[in-house]
Amino acid sequence: QVQLVESGGGLVQTGGSLRLSCAASAGAFSTYSVGWFRQAPGLEREFVAAMYRRNGATYYQDSVKGRFAISRDNAVNMVYLQMNSLKPEDTGVYYCVADSTLILSSVFEARAWDFWGQGTQVTVSS
């Protein structure tokens, strides 16, 4: 069982930046794929970013490419999401995810990820 705890959310103005952090309790954390999803009110959870376990490759939703960056520090079991040039449409609850058996083709699918954090709220004001 893996526990994920997000932090770093908050209220920011359009154009601002936030850095989300996710602390993971997992042995052999480096063998897990990690990622971030978000959910806006009334909408389904959507993929934001991920780092695949086997090759360390990163993947992003088109709307955040060039603005967001996912990273990890396996020495301390942490995952990060640096968010720059934030827009009101980035508002939502952001969830950290992890999975040790995820296949690459499923990276973008919420149902494919086994472990989820409780979420952290990000609000971007216009």
Side-chain angles (χ1 to χ4, degrees), residues 21 43 87:
S21 299
L43 300 179
K87 305 175 181 180

Side-chain angles (χ1 to χ4, degrees), residues 26-105:
F29 181 63
S30 62
T31 65
Y32 285 73
S33 295
V34 293
W36 294 88
F37 281 74
R38 68 186 180 190
Q39 186 169 23
L43 300 179
E44 294 185 354
R45 290 184 184 184
E46 64 175 1
F47 171 80
V48 176
M51 183 176 289
Y52 189 57
R53 59 191 172 92
R54 289 194 171 179
N55 56 11
T58 56
Y59 304 88
Y60 297 93
Q61 183 194 115
D62 285 346
S63 68
V64 307
K65 284 181 181 177
R67 300 189 297 122
F68 290 12
I70 186 171
S71 62
R72 66 191 299 172
D73 185 342
N74 292 328
V76 290
N77 284 13
M78 293 292 293
V79 184
Y80 305 100
L81 185 68
Q82 179 65 45
M83 306 186 295
N84 300 324
S85 302
L86 283 161
K87 305 175 181 180
E89 51 264 42
D90 294 319
T91 294
V93 178
Y94 281 70
Y95 297 91
C96 178
V97 294
D99 195 292
S100 62
T101 61
L102 190 77
I103 58 175
L104 183 56
S105 60

Side-chain angles (χ1 to χ4, degrees), residues 104-124:
L104 183 56
S105 60
S106 299
V107 163
F108 310 101
E109 300 175 21
R111 62 183 179 180
W113 294 82
D114 281 344
F115 302 106
W116 291 72
Q118 84 289 348
T120 185
Q121 177 70 45
V122 172
T123 303
V124 184

